Each structure stands twice: as C-alpha cells, then as structure tokens.
Amino acid sequence: MNPSHILARWAERTPDREAVIGARRRLTWSALRERVDDLSAGLEEIGVGRGDRVAVLLYNCPEFFEAYFAIARLGAIIVPLNFRLAGAEFTYILDDAGVSVLITEAAFHPTIGPIQGELPRLAHVLCVGEDAPRGWESYEERIERARGRKVPAAPAELSDVQRIMYTSGTTSHPKGAMITHGNVYWKNVAHIMDLSLSAADRTLVVGPLYHVGGLDLPATGVLYMGGSVAILPRFDAEGVLEAVHEEGVTNVWLAPTMIAQVLGRKDIGRFNLETLRIIIDGGEKMPIPLIEELRRVIPGCGFHDAYGLTETVSGDTFLPPADAVRKTGSVGLATHQLRIRIVDDERRDLPPGELGEILLRGPKVFPGYWNKREASEAVLVDGWFHTGDIGRMDTESYLYIVDRKKDIIISGGENIASTEVERIIYEDPRVAECAVIGIPDVRWGEVPCAYVVLKPGERADAEEFIARCSAKLAKFKVPRALEFID
C-alpha cells in the first residue's frame, strides 16, 4: 500500500509525462521519482524511519508532493500544518504529534524560530528555497548529499497511519485525525469511479495542500491514475482562470467563496475554459444562486456539489452533473463503499425527509484522533462516525446538508438553519458573501443576525434584505439585524 509504488509505476510507463507543475519547477514522473528517492535517503540519514512523524509547513509547491511521497516511502507519518496558525498553535501540534523533523520555508522562520526551544523532540528543520536561516538546514542540500542512494520502500498495511491532519472543532485544541493508507486507497478508488479520473486529467490545486480539499479532492486520485497536478501557491481568482487557460486544466476543487470570486471576474470571457471538465465544490454549503450562475457562465463544465470531512479524506458524496437541475441543493449520492444514516439524538434512524445527524461508515472513514481516546470514542460509535452535521435524505437516497449541528440557531425552541436564511440573502445579485449566526436574546434565547459583504461598487439597505427574508421565511427565521462588513 506504500504510495511510492505509484511513482515507480508511472515513472516506468510514462516517464516524460508531467506529474507536478509549480511556479518554480515542473516535474515529469521520472524527475519526481528521482527527487523523492533522494529526499527519502536524505531523511533516512537524519533518522527518519517507520512510524516517525514529519511535519510539512509549506505554501502550495511541488516540494509538498515530494515530501508526501518521500515520507510515506520510509513508512513515516506526514503531518501537514495549516500555515495560517499562530506560534502557540504550532507548538501544541508539533508537541502533540511528537514531530522530529519539520520541512518548511524561510517565510515561517519568524513564527517557528522562537518556539523551537519549546520542542525538544524537533531535531531537524529543513528549509525549502534559498538562504536557510541560521540553525536550519537546506532542503536542496539534503537532497543533493543523498543523490543516487536508494532506500527500499517500507511495507505499509491498510491499517497503518499515513498522515495526521489536525482539524479544529469544539475542543480547546485541534485534534489530529489519523488517516490510514487504507483510507487514502479507498478514497482514491471511490473518486476515480465517481469522477471518472484518468491519466488524461490535469488537476488544478488552489486550496491549501494541508487541507483535504486541496490535497485529496481529487489531486491524490489523479496522481494515482498517472495524471498531472498543477499548483497555485495560494488562491487567486485570476490565477485560476490563467491556469485553466494555459495548462489545459480538466478539474479543480473550489470552495463556494472561491467560485464566487472566479465568476465575479469581469474579464472571465477572455480565458479559454473549454478543457475544464468538472468543478468540485466542498468545505461549506454551496448557495443555489451560485450554482445557477456557474452553469450559466461555464455551461460546458459539469458541476459536482460534494460533501466530505477531514476524517473521511474528503468527498463522501457527489452530485452527478446530470442531476444538477433535478436535485438542486443536494450534495448527491454516497460514494463507493460508503454508507450513510440520518439519526435522531437517540441514534434512531429517521425516515426520508426528516432532519437528523449524518452518520458515515466505510473504509475511507478514519480510525480515530491521535492521542485522543475519549474524543475518538465520542464520534466513533458501533463503527459509525458521527459527523456533527445535520441533513436529510430523500426517497432516492440523495443527501441534503442543512447545517453543522453546533451552528443550528435555537430561537424560542425552534430550530433555524443558518444556511436556510443565507440562501435567501444570496438570491440578491449584489451579495458576494453572507453569514447568519445566532446572537443572544433575553426573550428567545437567541435570534438570527446576518452579516453581508457586497460586491465591489454595490450599495444596499439592510431593510431591503430583511424584507426579502420576511416574504420567504417564517417570522422566527427572519434576521433581527443585518450588518454590512468588508
């Protein structure tokens, strides 16, 4: 199950096909395998072996995938780090995971440098790029010193942990979701089947690679099939359009807010987007008006609304493009080898149409959180993963997401899904983004309040939106206040 075997397969069969394309470096399958072999040997020289944790703190770049494969080749565990975190958060994660080696870049030295003294187990920091700060080692020099030395791929079982991905939740500290080689394998199989992935695909990665959306939906699946992955260092709407135009991109994962920014480009017509086969949405509920705008602006591209979590390696359901109109608002059907239940607070199954918590079961569901036995047992009950999300299933087994269980607004005993109110506000074409939350209220416990970002150059009055909501929603769901923010 070691992913490094993928490198060997495609480096032998299609050595000259591009595997990973970045701003600074374009790597064929042959070149990628060579660099991964050398990095593996270099990491082994500094003591990395089976079960050791190696953290990666990088902006999107080809070196992330080099590290991904090299760490796996040694049987070690990769710990991708969210580059938006603060020093104290990095300290907690690096200590909790017991990280011995960190691969990062000089941009993070102001944050990582001051906390190194608090991390006695962190023995080595490898720096990607030129001019490694004092005390850090050059990533390229480590590769160069090990050049040509082969390290055999460590055996990997389905149940072995491949990575630990830290995800925030209801606790005071983030929890490390343990993702096994089997989780990734079955995720790849499912996505290959549902998205018809092949070696001809060219995936654009714009979401951060520390996140399952950027890494797995569907980049790792495309690499598994011998395709190509193009990388943007960070999301930029114009950069997305340029990459599709210049690289012949066939698929991309975008969060709804990213899609809104891409479609909002007034010059979108100057880019050739004909190669774009599918856009996959995920990370939050996609507003229906935005789905309709996407169909209008890029009619030849299929849209897969999707649902997934870090703990399931992303992509648990996909809405087939053929059902995009008939099942508007649904996130689709369960992917291969995944089962879904909708249950009440007593874990009793609910009939079609009724709202309840979404439970998942299957080989792509994680085995638990690192060093968090109680947290694991709380969400994994009798083999079922309790997602904390609220949804419903229709009579054809299509899933509809309503809200996070903890985000449901309870006003006077009535449940209000924030997304239900947001959908009405999004119907106004002047709206770029909106969020509805519950605010304390003496009489009702809490009431909905809306925050709205208008598109550049647009003007509006709060009473207009409140009136729109009043005409389409029950009175208790109407925002008591609406504030415009940047």
Side-chain angles (χ1 to χ4, degrees):
M1 297 307 301
N2 195 309
S4 66
H5 292 300
I6 298 168
L7 289 178
R9 175 185 177 87
W10 297 116
E12 292 168 1
R13 298 188 178 201
T14 56
D16 298 326
R17 178 187 290 151
E18 288 182 316
V20 178
I21 302 158
R24 302 189 306 265
R25 177 178 285 128
R26 304 175 77 98
L27 295 171
T28 63
W29 278 101
S30 177
L32 178 61
R33 180 178 66 171
E34 182 177 330
R35 285 182 61 83
V36 168
D37 285 349
D38 294 338
L39 179 58
S40 301
L43 290 174
E44 187 189 54
E45 286 175 354
I46 56 175
V48 176
R50 187 176 179 84
D52 291 328
R53 276 78 67 198
V54 178
V56 176
L57 174 59
L58 296 170
Y59 292 116
N60 289 1
C61 59
E63 288 84 356
F64 190 103
F65 283 104
E66 293 173 1
Y68 177 88
F69 284 110
I71 294 165
R73 183 176 185 83
L74 295 170
I77 299 170
I78 184 172
V79 183
L81 298 179
N82 181 340
F83 49 67
R84 296 182 174 91
L85 299 182
E89 294 169 302
F90 285 129
T91 301
Y92 173 80
I93 292 173
L94 292 168
D95 179 64
D96 184 63
V99 169
S100 59
V101 176
L102 170 64
I103 298 174
T104 186
E105 53 191 286
F108 297 108
H109 186 263
T111 305
I112 299 298
I115 67 172
Q116 281 185 251
E118 304 173 42
L119 299 163
R121 284 180 289 187
L122 183 59
H124 298 273
V125 179
L126 304 188
C127 183
V128 171
E130 300 177 356
D131 302 321
R134 183 184 298 273
W136 290 11
E137 181 182 351
S138 167
Y139 174 92
E140 287 299 327
E141 288 180 9
R142 171 55 56 188
I143 287 178
E144 187 61 35
R145 283 201 297 270
R147 190 169 301 283
R149 192 168 72 82
K150 297 292 184 182
V151 176
E157 302 296 332
L158 286 167
S159 59
D160 289 343
V161 177
Q162 187 220 40
R163 55 177 119 138
I164 304 172
M165 305 189 80
Y166 279 80
T167 176
S168 296
T170 56
T171 57
S172 58
H173 290 296
K175 301 187 294 292
M178 296 184 291
I179 306 299
T180 68
H181 287 281
N183 293 152
V184 178
Y185 172 79
W186 285 109
K187 184 280 304 182
N188 284 341
V189 170
H191 290 187
I192 288 164
M193 293 172 67
D194 279 342
L195 303 175
S196 300
L197 302 179
S198 74
D201 274 305
R202 295 173 72 83
T203 292
L204 177 63
V205 172
V206 297
L209 284 167
Y210 66 73
H211 185 276
V212 289
L215 181 57
D216 292 297
L217 197 57
T220 50
V222 169
L223 290 174
Y224 193 85
M225 292 300 290
S228 306
V229 171
I231 304 168
L232 289 185
R234 55 180 61 85
F235 171 75
D236 170 70
E238 183 177 13
V240 169
L241 294 169
E242 287 178 346
V244 175
H245 178 89
E246 295 172 3
E247 300 291 347
V249 169
T250 62
N251 60 65
V252 60
W253 170 87
L254 295 169
T257 184
M258 296 176 178
I259 294 175
Q261 291 181 53
V262 170
L263 296 180
R265 293 282 307 187
K266 298 187 185 303
D267 61 346
I268 192 171
R270 71 182 177 89
F271 298 96
N272 180 4
L273 308 178
E274 291 181 359
T275 60
L276 198 54
R277 185 169 65 83
I278 51 174
I279 290 178
I280 308 159
D281 152 62
E284 57 187 287
K285 187 174 174 64
M286 179 82 159
I288 293 174
L290 196 56
I291 297 175
E292 294 170 343
E293 185 179 1
L294 177 61
R295 294 187 195 128
R296 179 183 61 80
V297 175
I298 316 178
C301 177
F303 171 69
H304 281 282
D305 208 347
Y307 167 69
L309 303 97
T310 299
E311 291 89 343
T312 57
V313 212
S314 81
D316 298 317
T317 68
F318 293 104
L319 180 65
D323 290 327
V325 175
R326 187 173 72 93
K327 296 288 186 178
T328 294
S330 170
V331 292
L333 299 164
T335 195
H336 182 61
Q337 295 281 18
L338 190 81
R339 293 172 61 195
I340 301 176
R341 291 170 61 198
I342 307 295
V343 302
D344 62 16
D345 289 340
E346 304 301 321
R347 299 195 184 100
R348 293 175 299 206
D349 290 295
L350 294 171
E354 289 200 24
L355 295 179
E357 185 177 4
I358 300 167
L359 272 56
L360 303 174
R361 183 172 186 164
K364 67 194 288 293
V365 176
F366 82 137
Y369 297 108
W370 180 264
N371 289 337
K372 294 286 187 294
R373 180 177 177 179
E374 289 185 6
S376 301
E377 291 176 348
V379 298
L380 292 165
V381 182
D382 296 329
W384 289 90
F385 171 46
H386 290 243
T387 67
D389 291 328
I390 300 297
R392 63 180 173 87
M393 298 269 278
D394 67 15
T395 55
E396 296 178 88
S397 297
Y398 284 75
L399 179 65
Y400 293 76
I401 304 297
V402 176
D403 215 337
R404 287 289 295 170
K405 191 173 184 178
K406 63 184 177 65
D407 289 341
I408 291 288
I409 302 166
I410 303 176
S411 184
E414 296 282 0
N415 289 347
I416 305 169
S418 59
T419 51
E420 184 180 12
V421 187
E422 291 164 2
R423 178 176 59 82
I424 302 301
I425 297 173
Y426 268 119
E427 289 178 356
D428 192 304
R430 295 171 293 180
V431 174
E433 290 187 86
C434 76
V436 173
I437 66 167
I439 58 173
D441 183 81
V442 174
R443 182 178 183 185
W444 303 110
E446 58 180 349
V447 293
C449 175
Y451 293 86
V452 175
V453 179
L454 295 175
K455 293 177 180 177
E458 299 289 357
R459 299 176 64 86
D461 185 87
E463 295 306 318
E464 294 179 61
F465 290 102
I466 292 176
R468 176 190 289 269
C469 291
S470 297
K472 297 190 175 186
L473 294 170
K475 186 177 180 179
F476 69 89
K477 298 180 181 179
V478 176
R480 297 298 176 89
L482 187 144
E483 184 178 337
F484 295 104
I485 59 175
D486 294 332

